[in-house]
Amino acid sequence: MPNDLDWITAAIKKAQERGATAPDAVWTQVEALLRGRLSEGQLSVLERERTARLLIERMAQAPSKAEEPQ
Amino acid sequence: MRIKAIGLSWFRGAADPVSLELACKSMVVYGANASGKSSFVDAIEYVLNGGRISHLAHEYSGKRQENAVPNRLKPHGASTKLSIKFCDNSEINTEINEDGSSKSSGVVSSVVGVWDYRRTVLRQGEVVDFIQGTKGDKYSALLPLLGLHPMEVAAENLRQLAKNIESLSGLQQLKAILSQAAAKRKGAFGIMSDKEILEKLEGLHSKYCADKVAKKDALSRCVDLAEALETRIAQLSADHRRYLVLRTAGDLELKGNVDAVRTSSVNLAGAADPLIAQKLSVLEPTEALIDELPAEGEVKCPACGQLVRVDRFREHVKLEFERLREIRETFNQRKVAMGTLCDTVRSLKLNLDKSELKSWRDEIANGKLKECLAHLQGLNADALRTACTEKDLQGIQDKLLPLIDAAGSASVEAPPDAKRLQEDQRVVEAAKSTFEATEQAVEVKRAEALIALISALEQATRDEIRLRSKAVISEISDDIRKMWAILHPLEAIEDVGLYLPADADKAIDIRLKFYGEELDSPRLTLSEGYRNGLGLCIFLAMAKREAENDRPVFLDDVVVSLDRDHRGMIVELLEKYFGGRQIVILTHDRDWYTELRQQLGGGDWAFRALLPYENPKIGIRWSHKVTTFDDARAQLKHRPDAAANDARKIMDVELALIAERLQIRLPYLRFDRNDRRNAHDFLERIVSDGRRCFEKRTEEGQYAIHEDAIEALTNAGRLLVSWANRGSHTVDVALPEAMKLIDACEKAIESFKCATCGRGIGFADAGGPEWTQCQCGEIRWRYGKG
């Protein structure tokens, strides 16, 4: 059985290589979500909706890349 | 976890309790056709598959297979039961009710859903299932071995998540608003950049808001300017204000708006809103459905009802989506156009209702535009935002455009100062809408970035699945190749293995080289025997991946279409790759059973033979012997000649294998007669050599010729010549003669087995390469001294 943490890290790295950009705060959310929940089983419709809202909120709160401190 | 015993009671072919006592060992079970050996395999399948047996899944077996699982002649009050005892002394007990429902107790949870039937049991009818299944079936069969199910779930969750983000962020609506704002900007500023618009605003601010501190924020400047311009316009004379209102009404782009709605309506080309909604609601689950589809075969498209091939269906769904996306885009454009038309009509109504225009209204109300004004008054402008028919458009065109023209004509003489104020007011409005759209554009960008991120993650997860699938499949393929090479050494079919087709997701197929040519499927050329051999290799390669779990493997009559040469290699294959596993081989092939007894006898293997089946009330019965002479005995009553003939056939095989093991040198015969020697030929030489080579330990610890064995062998040889041959060629054998012949043959074969340790004479070397003996050394044979 492959190491779950490895594949999540690999998937995120690949997504970044594909040019998927997002503020760090959202990356953190997505990564936590992947590690914590996605691999455990199919999320229910409500849970997916809640997760989507959470990500949209985080995205809105996070500074854009241009605004992030260098 | 090895199995100690499988017990059956009125289950399938069983009557009174009967048990396959494996004692945690591997076992070869012999049974003539219909002797009931598969009932034990059925019991395993029943437990692993939650009360279902796949070969009984047909219309006659009943909803819960209640017409087929219990013995049909079960007496009233008897129960249908099965039990599986494991070597750690845990067990599963199942009782099956009349209606087919069942109740299980014991360690059910550690077996059901954990052991995969497809990697535990291989039956004759299932050997080529994997080869003949679709690419999707193969993928499903292998998926549990790939260990990638959690990743599959994660990928699906990500796909759904991206869709939720699109809908919850209101992405499409935001895009529509942006599109409206862009049109306004283009109308007011053409191709001016943000900087140039800001400079223009700055100029206007200096002109109209000199008393106010210039704010950096563009929107605040717009607000200041709008207020200042409103104040100035309010300070104009009533006449000037009238001109401005009329000019505002006269400048309305109503005609262009009507045309835009018409154009977009034509573009929709009859694709009505409900149809889009319906198609999308069907297509969305369809998109999820296509992931579950097999790689081959046909399927009915739930969106359009056409019957299409699965690969084309995927393409079809993709195209349908593309088409609907285009329609949705046009639909959105139409919505924007209708929204703009609604705003324009509202603006017209608002302006023409203004108090400044009372006298103008009174004037036209008495003239030919009376109907037009009445039409405007009665029009529900807001309703146009959601529904706008051609009749509405025609009404707007016929009744409202004349009003606009009249207002335009009446405003021609507006003074330049007032005109300037109004133009500046429009610039400020357009600038305000432009800068408000900047915030919405940020929201759109964020939502799109988030969707792109989640989609990229989904794709990366699917890539990872593919990568890991390849690695596991490559390992399984290596095993298949090695096993195939054992079964088919030096043959022209090579490089047999699994692969992931590049053109399909969730699909696996088999390829091989046939006389040097690469083939995409073994079904193109392989004979039935080869397909069976390949099916066996694939099953064993998959079962091997679970070797660490030490689960038993059941092979039920799987070599039925393999010839003797290929069949003979299975032992080597099992010993090499399944040395530590519990294997249960069930066969109706008496010769193979005898061979296996000779090859695997001793060690971890046990052998049992079933008696021929008599009737369901008697059920499954075990022979007390490991040899198959009971098959012959079963015929004594009705066909003594056949019984005698069977005994001879058993001796043909048993003695050939013994002679091979004891390295008996037989005279060379011409051509294939070497392969067709019969029991008498072997016995003659074994007895002759045995008088010098077959020894038994005496009470004094010395070795002497095993006279009892020689006598038994001689006796069997004598009876075989006189009675068995008669049984083969005529029907002239009496029951007592056949009975005596069978007993004599059995005794002769038994003489090669030690009465003390129970092992055969070829079990071990005895003090050097010259001798072979049983385990304890009670009996021995000296090689090559005949």
Side-chain angles (χ1 to χ4, degrees):
Chain A
M1 174 65 196
N3 185 327
D4 274 357
L5 297 184
D6 283 352
W7 79 257
I8 291 167
T9 307
I12 288 173
K13 198 174 164 212
K14 254 188 201 171
Q16 284 171 322
E17 282 165 6
R18 278 173 207 275
T21 54
D24 289 346
V26 178
W27 276 116
T28 312
Q29 286 287 329
V30 174
E31 193 171 340
L33 182 142
L34 270 172
R35 288 190 198 287
R37 276 181 281 171
L38 282 183
S39 55
E40 281 175 13
Q42 189 85 23
L43 296 180
S44 69
V45 174
L46 274 179
E47 189 59 28
R48 275 202 297 263
E49 199 172 305
R50 205 184 74 82
T51 309
R53 279 186 204 286
L54 192 74
L55 286 175
I56 292 169
E57 271 174 33
R58 289 289 182 276
M59 188 75 170
Q61 286 165 10
S64 71
K65 274 281 172 194
E67 291 163 343
E68 278 177 15
Q70 298 299 308
Chain B
M1 187 156 53
R2 289 183 169 223
I3 293 177
K4 193 189 267 181
I6 302 169
L8 311 176
S9 183
W10 300 103
F11 177 89
R12 300 286 294 141
D16 286 328
V18 59
S19 180
L20 169 60
E21 296 288 340
L22 293 164
C24 307
K25 286 185 164 191
S26 290
M27 182 176 277
V28 183
V29 176
Y30 165 75
N33 279 332
S35 57
K37 55 190 181 301
S38 292
S39 296
F40 295 104
V41 181
D42 287 344
I44 295 290
E45 181 174 359
Y46 189 90
V47 169
L48 295 191
N49 286 349
R52 304 288 296 175
I53 298 172
S54 54
H55 70 89
L56 298 178
H58 50 70
E59 59 183 311
Y60 306 105
S61 61
K63 196 176 166 189
R64 295 195 183 99
Q65 303 186 336
E66 64 274 16
N67 299 329
V69 170
N71 183 324
R72 295 301 298 264
L73 296 188
K74 178 169 71 76
H76 185 70
S79 301
T80 303
K81 291 178 187 171
L82 64 92
S83 68
I84 301 174
K85 289 180 183 158
F86 299 96
C87 294
D88 61 359
N89 288 325
S90 60
E91 59 185 279
I92 291 175
N93 290 295
T94 300
E95 183 160 354
I96 298 150
N97 301 321
E98 295 288 334
D99 64 357
S101 62
S102 62
K103 195 176 172 188
S104 294
S105 60
V107 290
V108 182
S109 59
S110 61
V111 173
V112 179
V114 180
W115 290 20
D116 187 337
Y117 168 77
R118 288 175 296 185
R119 294 192 300 284
T120 307
V121 175
L122 185 67
R123 297 172 188 262
Q124 183 190 333
E126 298 164 348
V127 180
V128 292
D129 277 3
F130 186 87
I131 297 171
Q132 291 178 349
T134 63
K135 293 174 196 169
D137 290 341
K138 292 183 180 83
Y139 184 84
S140 303
L142 279 162
L143 190 59
L145 281 180
L146 304 179
L148 301 175
H149 184 62
M151 291 173 77
E152 291 273 2
V153 170
E156 176 58 17
N157 279 331
L158 284 164
R159 194 179 72 85
Q160 297 286 349
L161 203 53
K163 282 169 80 173
N164 275 359
I165 288 169
E166 179 173 343
S167 96
L168 290 171
S169 62
L171 186 62
Q172 294 306 324
Q173 293 90 317
L174 281 171
K175 278 181 165 177
I177 292 169
L178 282 183
S179 164
Q180 267 182 322
K184 229 178 198 176
R185 172 178 174 153
K186 197 179 169 192
F189 303 112
I191 54 163
M192 280 170 76
S193 66
D194 282 3
K195 196 180 163 200
E196 287 166 325
I197 296 172
L198 277 172
E199 280 168 8
K200 191 160 188 177
L201 270 187
E202 209 173 309
L204 290 174
H205 200 269
S206 315
K207 186 174 170 186
Y208 297 112
C209 308
D211 56 329
K212 290 187 178 172
V213 180
K215 290 171 185 161
K216 266 195 171 180
D217 171 33
L219 268 179
S220 305
R221 278 190 186 177
C222 289
V223 172
D224 285 353
L225 272 167
E227 280 173 8
L229 285 162
E230 196 60 42
T231 310
R232 291 211 181 189
I233 288 169
Q235 287 165 356
L236 292 174
S237 68
D239 263 4
H240 286 185
R241 288 206 308 276
R242 180 169 159 266
Y243 275 126
L244 288 186
V245 175
L246 283 170
R247 193 162 178 263
T248 304
D251 286 351
L252 287 173
E253 271 298 322
L254 191 62
K255 185 168 184 320
N257 297 160
V258 170
D259 289 345
V261 174
R262 279 210 174 111
T263 308
S264 57
S265 297
V266 169
N267 289 345
L268 269 177
D273 306 3
L275 182 67
I276 293 172
Q278 179 204 346
K279 283 226 170 194
L280 277 174
S281 67
V282 174
L283 269 173
E284 275 167 10
T286 306
E287 200 186 18
L289 169 77
I290 58 171
D291 291 341
E292 308 299 325
L293 286 176
E296 290 164 5
E298 282 191 331
V299 67
K300 191 176 176 184
C301 171
C304 71
Q306 287 179 48
L307 203 61
V308 283
R309 264 177 36 199
V310 169
D311 52 346
R312 291 196 182 149
F313 178 64
R314 289 174 203 282
E315 191 60 26
H316 179 70
V317 170
K318 202 175 148 195
L319 286 174
E320 282 282 294
F321 256 102
E322 285 305 316
R323 199 160 69 85
L324 275 172
R325 273 190 198 110
E326 282 168 23
I327 293 174
R328 190 159 66 168
E329 196 59 39
T330 315
F331 183 69
N332 285 340
Q333 282 170 11
R334 185 169 177 266
K335 265 173 130 176
V336 171
M338 281 160 61
T340 310
L341 177 67
C342 164
D343 290 342
T344 308
V345 172
R346 282 182 61 179
S347 175
L348 179 67
K349 215 171 171 180
L350 191 77
N351 280 295
L352 296 193
D353 273 350
K354 283 189 175 170
S355 56
E356 290 91 336
L357 297 193
K358 187 174 181 308
S359 57
W360 184 80
R361 276 200 308 272
D362 292 345
E363 194 182 310
I364 62 165
N366 296 322
K368 58 182 178 182
L369 293 178
K370 182 183 172 185
E371 265 186 51
C372 298
L373 203 57
H375 187 82
L376 178 66
Q377 306 293 355
L379 196 62
N380 181 359
D382 288 330
L384 294 172
R385 200 179 293 279
T386 49
C388 184
T389 63
E390 178 53 34
K391 194 180 166 193
D392 294 327
L393 291 174
Q394 200 58 49
I396 290 167
Q397 192 171 310
D398 294 346
K399 309 285 184 193
L400 303 194
L401 283 179
L403 285 175
I404 287 175
D405 288 343
S409 305
S411 65
V412 169
E413 290 170 15
D417 287 355
K419 275 185 187 173
R420 168 55 51 199
L421 277 176
Q422 194 178 41
E423 273 156 23
D424 288 343
Q425 194 179 31
R426 282 178 192 165
V427 165
V428 170
E429 268 174 27
K432 188 165 173 266
S433 133
T434 299
F435 292 115
E436 274 170 354
T438 311
E439 280 181 17
Q440 283 149 349
V442 169
E443 272 183 63
V444 166
K445 270 191 177 174
R446 279 176 172 165
E448 283 180 338
L450 201 50
I451 290 166
L453 161 75
I454 304 287
S455 302
L457 267 173
E458 182 204 340
Q459 195 50 50
T461 305
R462 294 206 186 279
D463 289 350
E464 194 68 21
I465 290 170
R466 204 173 170 80
L467 198 73
R468 290 179 188 213
S469 303
K470 269 188 181 171
V472 177
I473 283 168
S474 165
E475 286 170 24
I476 295 174
S477 288
D478 277 351
D479 283 335
I480 294 173
R481 255 191 297 282
K482 287 174 191 163
M483 290 178 185
W484 177 264
I486 290 175
L487 283 191
H488 304 272
L490 305 173
E491 288 181 24
I493 297 162
E494 53 194 349
D495 284 353
V496 183
L498 306 174
Y499 71 100
L500 289 166
D503 59 343
D505 246 1
K506 300 189 173 184
I508 289 175
D509 217 341
I510 309 164
R511 65 181 161 204
L512 49 88
K513 267 190 187 168
F514 183 73
Y515 288 89
E517 189 191 345
E518 280 195 10
L519 294 182
D520 287 337
S521 170
R523 296 168 74 182
L524 291 170
T525 53
L526 291 197
S527 69
E528 190 185 350
Y530 273 27
R531 284 201 304 274
N532 276 286
L534 179 56
L536 181 63
C537 291
I538 291 169
F539 170 82
L540 290 174
M542 293 200 287
K544 178 178 168 274
R545 269 194 80 79
E546 287 195 322
E548 60 186 356
N549 294 315
D550 194 27
R551 287 172 196 160
V553 170
F554 289 80
L555 302 173
D556 185 4
D557 257 346
V558 293
V559 297
V560 72
S561 65
L562 299 189
D563 59 33
R564 196 180 161 198
D565 291 347
H566 293 110
R567 190 184 64 189
M569 304 307 289
I570 288 176
V571 171
E572 185 183 334
L573 196 157
L574 292 177
E575 284 190 322
K576 186 162 185 180
Y577 291 103
F578 291 85
R581 290 280 286 274
Q582 185 182 27
I583 308 282
V584 181
I585 297 174
L586 300 104
T587 181
H588 73 271
D589 186 327
R590 194 163 52 203
D591 294 355
W592 192 44
Y593 171 73
T594 308
E595 279 174 39
L596 291 173
R597 245 180 49 235
Q598 295 292 339
Q599 289 174 310
L600 299 170
D604 198 32
W605 285 84
F607 299 86
R608 293 296 304 271
L610 285 165
L611 290 174
Y613 202 72
E614 279 195 22
N615 65 58
K617 283 190 173 170
I618 295 175
I620 301 167
R621 292 170 304 150
W622 290 109
S623 166
H624 295 298
K625 294 148 185 163
V626 294
T627 57
T628 55
F629 286 103
D630 279 343
D631 272 6
R633 285 195 182 91
Q635 302 200 65
L636 279 172
K637 195 171 168 187
H638 304 293
R639 293 281 314 275
D641 55 310
N645 189 30
D646 261 11
R648 187 189 59 76
K649 284 197 276 187
I650 294 168
M651 290 297 273
D652 287 347
V653 178
E654 293 270 5
L655 291 170
L657 291 163
I658 290 169
E660 197 175 327
R661 172 161 289 197
L662 300 182
Q663 300 176 11
I664 305 281
R665 289 178 191 155
L666 288 155
Y668 178 75
L669 300 175
R670 284 169 66 84
F671 305 119
D672 61 350
R673 288 172 62 207
N674 278 309
D675 298 329
R676 285 192 269 137
R677 295 176 197 275
N678 60 34
H680 178 68
D681 298 330
F682 292 115
L683 266 179
E684 207 172 40
R685 182 57 63 148
I686 291 171
V687 169
S688 158
D689 286 4
R691 292 190 200 285
R692 286 180 287 275
C693 305
F694 199 172
E695 293 183 350
K696 186 179 181 188
R697 196 161 48 200
T698 62
E699 285 178 5
E700 293 78 34
Q702 304 299 312
Y703 281 97
I705 296 299
H706 192 349
E707 294 294 351
D708 290 347
I710 301 297
E711 189 188 333
L713 290 162
T714 308
N715 188 37
R718 189 169 49 80
L719 295 181
L720 275 168
V721 169
S722 54
W723 291 338
N725 287 345
R726 242 200 291 155
S728 307
H729 304 300
T730 71
V731 289
D732 191 18
V733 178
L735 190 144
E737 290 171 338
M739 203 185 292
K740 194 172 176 186
L741 170 69
I742 294 167
D743 288 347
C745 288
E746 196 169 43
K747 192 174 176 192
I749 296 300
E750 288 289 314
S751 68
F752 291 101
K753 190 171 147 190
C754 172
T756 308
C757 69
R759 302 293 187 196
I761 200 167
F763 183 80
D765 286 344
E770 214 175 310
W771 291 89
T772 181
Q773 64 171 44
C774 64
Q775 190 173 20
C776 66
E778 177 87 5
I779 53 174
R780 65 180 191 175
W781 182 278
R782 188 164 49 149
Y783 289 128
K785 296 295 178 185

